[in-house]
Amino acid sequence: MEGLTLSEAEQRYYCDLFSYCDTESTKKVASNGRVLELFRAAQLPNDVVMQIMELCGATRLGYFGRSQFYIALKLVAVAQSGLPLRVESLNTVKDLPLPRFVVSKNEQESRHTALYSSDADNPASYSGVIPPPPGRIQVKKGSVSHDAVQQRTSTDQQESTSPVVSPQQSPPTSPHTWRKHNRHPSGGNNERPLAGPGPFWAPFSEAQPGSSTSSDPIWSGHSPPPHQENWVSFADTPPTSALLAMHPASVQDQTTVRTVASATTTNEIRRQSSSYDDPWKITDEQRQYYVNQFKTIQPDLNGFIPGSAAKEFFTKSKLPILELSHIWELSDFDKDGALTLDEFCAAFHLVVARKNGYDLPEKLPESLMPKLIDLEDSTVIPVISEVGEQTGEVGYSSSPAEAPPSKSPSMPSLNQTWPELNQSSEDTAIVHPVPIRMTPSKIHMQEMELKRTGSDHANPTSPLLVKPPDLPEENKMSSSVKFTAGNTVTDGYSSSDSYTSDPEQIGSTVTRQRSHSGTSPDNTAPPPPPPRPHPSHSRSSSLDMNRSFSVTPGQQQAGVVAYPPAVPPRPQPSQGAGPHVHRPVDAEGLIAHTSTSPQQIPEQPNFADFSQFEAFAVSGVNKEEDDEIETHSEVLQVEKPSDSASSLRVAKADGRVEDKAPANVPTSAGKGTTPLAPPPKPIRRRLKSEDELKPEAEEHTQKTGVIAAVLASQPSIPRSVGKDKKAIQASIRRNKETNTVLARLNSELQQQLKDVLEERISLEVQLEQLRPFSHL
Amino acid sequence: VPVSVICSPPQNYPLYIRSVPTENELKFHYTVHTSLDVVDEKISAMGKALVDQRELYLGLLYPTEDYKVYGYVTNSKVKFVMVVDSSNTALRDNEIRSMFRKLHNSYTDIMCNPFYNPGDCIHSRAFDNMVNSMMMQVC
């Protein structure tokens, strides 16, 4: 064969064609179906084809080498252009149009024509695909398919001749059928990464009923006949007949097989083409076809096809059940056992693709996804599953028409329920109301007042704050200036948070207390003071003690708030409140004072000052005397603001207790055993009883927290005084609660204080014992 | 080392069995088979027909050696058995429950498929994927 010079377009085209025909990639195209199909598609007379084959040497060789193939193609072109077939014409004929091969399927042709509209330059279309042969005549689908069938069966080139003739008749009828798929092949071809000819030929091969000649190696595994048969059987359904009807004219010699084949081929091509696009897109034609099919099963387009019917339908495609099962899984998007129109189209599409040799995807391609409203609801599936589970599996297969529609609405609703279910109700944490501070503030005020009075032995009205400097100085354990010390201590205590210095003060207080207890029977009246009308006897007693302590505070060590002496003077305890457990111990008394003071405090209008209350709590036990308390309250109230910050420390409370003690002491001393104002008394009583009842040994921290909380809450409590009864009662209740809490805290603090004081005493004793030695 | 098995009554033959580490599979198969007895026992113990989701989950059937076996039965008496490594202490009961729930859902989906005949072995790819992902999650 002389050298063959091909133009670029021709080169490309031929290359594609060769690749297409070279199914086995052996670079040698045997006279297999594809080649024959190709030649048949050339729509040349059989003899011409034979001639071409002879010329190209294939006949000699028995196969089509690449060169032979190219030559053959060129000769085809020559023949198609009407030129005599001459070997010489291969190179002589210039500007020979590309050989045109009519695809049996209209769609292919139209596809190709559309794609190959431009000469050789079809970048967009098939990847490097053969330039569109200009005049692809739509071979009669039936004929071609028939030919293909015949080819398959006979695998004889000879057969190809006859079919070649017939095609011409089909085109008119098929176009519309193929139109649907027009786009597919092209699109599919575009997408297909196969060699150029691949996509191009795919549609072409589609023309072959089920023939696995579908170009692509993908299909290599499929045997045409079975497919065809499948399609044939499949085509038993109306669609096929419809197709057949489309090609009545074309079916000249065509047997029903052919028509069927054509139909199936059409279907296949359609499907295939549809699968080309992107590559799973459904063309309009295909979709229309699918819709028609859907209608045959389910007239209502909005209805569902039951699983059984669908199964029947798709079984006709003769695909393995496994594959059908997989297709179903993919297409039944809502997993309801029934197919909507979209799902059906998707399934049909997948079936077509599968039949054409495309592997089923693992996931449903996007283009096939049913456009359901619930599509985006991933919860649909689980919901449906749940529903299905609940309703039993019966629901799935039954009443697709009713069930699915109901399911659709139910799906969203179920979906909605999911988020609802998932919603966790948030219950705002119920904040436990903190006991009201009214009590504390009052107590505080009382304590402050007491302190003041105590300090004011010399200066009753002097604000405690005034004496801070004194307090530190008076922190020493001494018995005399307890009052002042108490005051100073109180002041110092109230003014500063330095309860760290309390230990010393405590110690001093302890000593003072002791001394006091020894010296000032009246002031340091044992916690169980003389009978007091108020239950806050403990307070009085503590108050006395506080008073006594308050005297000593003056001698307290400097720098230390005279807490010990300033133990909250609890008027009630000092005044002979009932024998408090606290009383026996000065600290206890102080604590008791503390506990009682809170009781007094609530009564007081001023609740703003927790600090004061704390001071009171420490020392306020002694504030049994209302007068004192009141005056104290006044002062305390004044001082409260200043003390609030500092005195809020429960730890300070210890010191405060001491402070209060001295404060109370002077207070009580000043006022004697004058009971405090009536309002506080009842409270004191309660508190005292509570104190008595409550164990002293309680967690200090708890009390601290409680007191702090209580004190903190106090300011916010508006004065019950002046409000209507209910408010007052409410406030009373709150006060009681606060009292209880404070009383508890007081007892605990007093206990602790007592312990600390004892330690301090022991230490000091040791120190003194050691001192002589140090001097040595 | 989770192994999932689904068995269907009344023949109690496995419809589906999958294990992650492919060694010692036989041992797991045997374990599952023996655990079926325990499952049956629990089912019969339930007695009445009130089977709700809660009761479907049978819980830890029995811990043996170094693995635990969990059971789950559906309304249609399809049994799910899961074997997990005892060393997998991170696996809590809730997780097992959720896994069973997923299995159940997937199984239901398979049932929906008209091409699936109840009693056939399960070849669904989706089901496989789900089970694989679940087991990967556990491992």
Side-chain angles (χ1 to χ4, degrees):
Chain A
M1 303 297 268
E2 49 250 55
L4 190 64
T5 56
L6 300 172
S7 67
E8 196 180 25
E10 284 177 340
Q11 182 76 17
R12 238 181 310 152
Y13 190 33
Y14 294 169
C15 187
D16 291 338
L17 289 173
F18 187 78
S19 307
Y20 170 69
C21 292
D22 193 6
T23 54
E24 294 172 19
S25 303
T26 58
K27 297 291 184 257
K28 286 193 285 191
V29 184
S31 304
N32 58 7
R34 287 204 183 172
V35 176
L36 295 175
E37 294 169 25
L38 195 62
F39 290 150
R40 246 181 281 119
Q43 294 178 329
L44 297 172
N46 226 11
D47 54 343
V48 173
V49 172
M50 294 301 295
Q51 194 177 4
I52 289 173
M53 290 171 65
E54 281 179 347
L55 283 174
C56 69
T59 323
R60 259 183 305 115
L61 297 174
Y63 65 88
F64 281 95
R66 188 175 278 273
S67 58
Q68 283 80 36
F69 190 77
Y70 287 1
I71 292 170
L73 291 175
K74 190 88 189 242
L75 288 173
V76 167
V78 169
Q80 283 178 343
S81 54
L83 300 172
L85 288 178
R86 294 284 180 274
V87 175
E88 307 79 42
S89 61
L90 285 176
N91 289 332
T92 54
V93 178
K94 308 287 189 219
D95 298 330
L96 193 65
L98 293 169
R100 291 167 297 165
F101 299 88
V102 178
V103 181
S104 60
K105 313 211 167 113
N106 292 345
E107 59 173 338
Q108 287 180 350
E109 291 171 6
S110 46
R111 243 182 307 138
H112 297 307
T113 49
L115 287 174
Y116 304 145
S117 55
S118 62
D119 229 358
D121 286 338
N122 259 342
S125 59
Y126 313 75
S127 49
V129 167
I130 312 156
R136 296 206 69 175
I137 310 169
Q138 293 190 353
V139 178
K140 190 185 343 181
K141 287 176 284 187
S143 58
V144 174
S145 55
H146 179 62
D147 296 337
V149 177
Q150 292 178 351
Q151 263 189 356
R152 300 303 176 301
T153 53
S154 61
T155 64
D156 192 347
Q157 286 189 0
Q158 311 310 324
E159 309 241 26
S160 59
T161 57
S162 52
V164 176
V165 183
S166 43
Q168 275 117 29
Q169 297 163 14
S170 57
T173 53
S174 45
H176 57 279
T177 316
W178 298 113
R179 241 175 277 120
K180 299 185 215 176
H181 319 287
N182 280 352
R183 293 194 292 277
H184 301 305
S186 45
N189 292 341
N190 291 340
E191 310 265 331
R192 305 191 75 36
L194 302 171
F200 175 84
W201 290 112
F204 180 75
S205 55
E206 284 176 340
Q208 328 304 326
S211 61
S212 59
T213 57
S214 59
S215 55
D216 313 318
I218 296 179
W219 296 4
S220 53
H222 299 275
S223 60
H227 283 275
Q228 244 181 350
E229 290 168 357
N230 294 346
W231 279 117
V232 171
S233 58
F234 199 109
D236 282 340
T237 63
T240 325
S241 56
L243 283 175
L244 294 175
M246 287 177 6
H247 311 286
S250 62
V251 184
Q252 287 181 348
D253 311 331
Q254 289 178 2
T255 60
T256 49
V257 174
R258 253 166 66 169
T259 52
V260 167
S262 63
T264 53
T265 312
T266 309
N267 294 345
E268 282 178 321
I269 293 178
R270 240 190 326 223
R271 307 221 170 79
Q272 203 172 11
S273 56
S274 63
S275 58
Y276 277 143
D277 233 357
D278 116 31
W280 296 107
K281 201 168 119 184
I282 304 178
T283 67
D284 289 346
E285 288 171 354
Q286 283 180 326
R287 189 166 182 88
Q288 190 55 44
Y289 179 71
Y290 298 158
V291 172
N292 292 336
Q293 289 298 299
F294 186 90
K295 282 193 194 144
T296 62
I297 306 175
Q298 165 70 268
D300 177 19
L301 283 183
N302 288 326
F304 290 74
I305 290 183
S308 49
K311 172 178 179 179
E312 232 179 270
F313 182 80
F314 285 115
T315 311
K316 290 189 204 154
S317 68
K318 294 292 190 298
L319 283 181
I321 293 291
L322 188 60
E323 294 185 7
L324 288 175
S325 177
H326 187 64
I327 289 176
W328 177 277
E329 271 183 5
L330 291 175
S331 56
D332 188 4
F333 202 73
D334 48 13
K335 298 282 184 287
D336 55 0
L339 297 181
T340 64
L341 183 60
D342 283 334
E343 292 173 343
F344 178 81
C345 292
F348 213 140
H349 201 62
L350 287 170
V351 169
V352 171
R354 190 63 180 144
K355 290 215 66 95
N356 285 310
Y358 289 97
D359 286 335
L360 292 178
E362 287 296 319
K363 271 187 358 153
L364 193 65
E366 285 212 3
S367 50
L368 293 181
M369 289 229 175
K371 311 297 179 290
L372 301 170
I373 41 175
D374 305 313
L375 196 64
E376 48 277 1
D377 288 337
S378 58
T379 55
V380 168
I381 294 175
V383 167
I384 295 300
S385 305
E386 289 283 313
V387 173
E389 286 174 353
Q390 294 158 7
T391 60
E393 297 169 1
V394 179
Y396 284 103
S397 55
S398 66
S399 63
E402 309 97 39
S406 64
K407 278 178 197 163
S408 297
S410 67
M411 292 193 311
S413 62
L414 284 168
N415 295 338
Q416 290 160 12
T417 56
W418 286 111
E420 290 169 4
L421 292 173
N422 295 336
Q423 285 171 4
S424 58
S425 62
E426 297 174 3
D427 294 328
T428 58
I430 298 177
V431 180
H432 190 73
V434 179
I436 303 309
R437 353 22 96 55
M438 298 180 76
T439 310
S441 61
K442 273 191 185 171
I443 296 174
H444 192 71
M445 288 164 50
Q446 293 168 1
E447 289 175 358
M448 296 303 290
E449 285 181 350
L450 289 171
K451 289 177 194 173
R452 266 175 289 138
T453 53
S455 61
D456 287 344
H457 233 22
N459 191 3
T461 57
S462 65
L464 296 174
L465 294 174
V466 174
K467 307 237 174 146
D470 298 338
L471 293 176
E473 297 169 357
E474 299 168 346
N475 274 344
K476 307 227 167 134
M477 304 291 291
S478 56
S479 54
S480 57
V481 193
K482 298 221 178 132
F483 263 114
T484 49
N487 293 339
T488 55
V489 169
T490 310
D491 292 340
Y493 176 78
S494 58
S495 59
S496 68
D497 300 348
S498 58
Y499 65 87
T500 52
S501 58
D502 290 351
E504 297 175 345
Q505 300 166 5
I506 290 175
S508 60
T509 309
V510 169
T511 42
R512 271 183 255 116
Q513 290 174 353
R514 273 180 285 152
S515 57
H516 283 310
S517 58
T519 54
S520 58
D522 291 340
N523 293 342
T524 61
R532 269 196 87 82
H534 329 294
S536 56
H537 290 312
S538 57
R539 263 207 204 171
S540 54
S541 57
S542 56
L543 184 62
D544 294 340
M545 291 163 61
N546 290 339
R547 286 199 201 126
S548 63
F549 294 144
S550 62
V551 173
T552 53
Q555 303 158 9
Q556 288 175 358
Q557 306 104 9
V560 179
V561 181
Y563 294 132
V567 169
R570 306 226 171 90
Q572 297 113 8
S574 59
Q575 296 170 9
H580 250 282
V581 183
H582 317 292
R583 297 311 149 47
V585 182
D586 297 342
E588 291 172 352
L590 295 173
I591 296 171
H593 296 321
T594 312
S595 58
T596 50
S597 55
Q599 291 171 351
Q600 300 170 2
I601 291 180
E603 295 302 322
Q604 296 178 356
N606 285 348
F607 308 100
D609 273 340
F610 291 116
S611 58
Q612 293 177 354
F613 166 69
E614 281 186 359
F616 266 106
V618 176
S619 62
V621 181
N622 301 332
K623 300 173 197 168
E624 284 190 353
E625 298 160 356
D626 295 341
D627 299 342
E628 297 174 352
I629 291 173
E630 287 173 353
T631 53
H632 285 306
S633 64
E634 292 173 3
V635 179
L636 287 172
Q637 288 175 9
V638 173
E639 297 168 347
K640 269 182 194 178
S642 58
D643 299 339
S644 55
S646 57
S647 59
L648 277 175
R649 297 275 175 290
V650 177
K652 280 194 261 174
D654 288 339
R656 288 192 203 111
V657 172
E658 298 172 359
D659 292 343
K660 290 174 189 169
N664 289 339
V665 167
T667 310
S668 60
K671 307 208 171 176
T673 58
T674 313
L676 296 174
K681 289 178 188 176
I683 296 175
R684 273 178 256 135
R685 247 185 242 110
R686 284 189 298 273
L687 186 60
K688 195 168 68 169
S689 55
E690 290 167 351
D691 291 341
E692 292 169 345
L693 294 173
K694 278 148 198 167
E696 296 178 8
E698 288 185 25
E699 292 182 15
H700 176 71
T701 54
Q702 290 176 356
K703 285 190 172 177
T704 306
V706 169
I707 280 192
V710 168
L711 293 173
S713 59
Q714 270 247 328
S716 63
I717 296 179
R719 300 185 184 184
S720 57
V721 179
K723 294 189 179 175
D724 54 5
K725 230 181 189 180
K726 287 187 179 177
I728 294 174
Q729 288 171 355
S731 60
I732 289 174
R733 250 177 278 116
R734 283 192 298 266
N735 293 337
K736 289 182 187 176
E737 292 171 7
T738 312
N739 290 341
T740 311
V741 170
L742 292 168
R744 216 177 306 131
L745 182 59
N746 282 336
S747 58
E748 289 178 1
L749 292 172
Q750 283 173 5
Q751 181 60 42
Q752 290 177 11
L753 178 62
K754 174 180 54 173
D755 296 339
V756 172
L757 288 175
E758 286 177 357
E759 286 179 16
R760 185 197 176 93
I761 293 166
S762 63
L763 287 172
E764 284 178 348
V765 166
Q766 290 177 9
L767 180 62
E768 287 176 2
Q769 289 172 357
L770 291 172
R771 266 200 202 124
F773 298 99
S774 64
H775 290 322
L776 294 179
Chain B
V1 186
V3 177
S4 295
V5 173
I6 306 178
C7 308
S8 88
Q11 306 83 10
N12 273 345
Y13 62 87
L15 294 180
Y16 181 88
I17 183 159
R18 170 71 60 93
S19 55
V20 163
T22 47
E23 72 273 358
N24 278 348
E25 280 211 51
L26 204 57
K27 179 178 93 165
F28 291 125
H29 292 204
Y30 173 71
T31 307
V32 168
H33 192 77
T34 54
S35 65
L36 289 179
D37 282 339
V38 184
V39 175
D40 283 338
E41 202 182 304
K42 291 201 182 235
I43 293 179
S44 60
M46 276 194 209
K48 9 213 172 120
L50 52 90
V51 222
D52 63 325
Q53 189 71 11
R54 301 289 161 257
E55 296 180 18
L56 294 178
Y57 175 70
L58 301 174
L60 185 63
L61 295 179
Y62 63 94
T64 48
E65 305 164 14
D66 43 9
Y67 51 84
K68 305 181 234 182
V69 182
Y70 294 91
Y72 183 94
V73 68
T74 71
N75 286 324
S76 53
K77 296 291 179 280
V78 175
K79 307 179 188 69
F80 295 75
V81 177
M82 193 173 344
V83 179
V84 295
D85 233 4
S86 282
S87 56
N88 206 341
T89 52
L91 214 53
R92 298 201 344 257
D93 192 60
N94 282 340
E95 294 170 17
I96 303 282
R97 276 183 197 265
S98 68
M99 286 165 74
F100 273 130
R101 210 173 304 125
K102 275 198 277 186
L103 275 173
H104 196 170
N105 289 342
S106 301
Y107 179 73
T108 317
D109 293 342
I110 288 178
M111 279 293 150
C112 296
N113 195 330
F115 298 102
Y116 172 76
N117 302 317
D120 292 349
C121 284
I122 296 175
H123 295 294
S124 152
R125 266 181 254 178
F127 192 79
D128 288 345
N129 293 340
M130 187 276 304
V131 172
N132 281 338
S133 67
M134 212 166 63
M135 294 204 288
M136 288 306 145
Q137 194 182 340
V138 171
C139 291

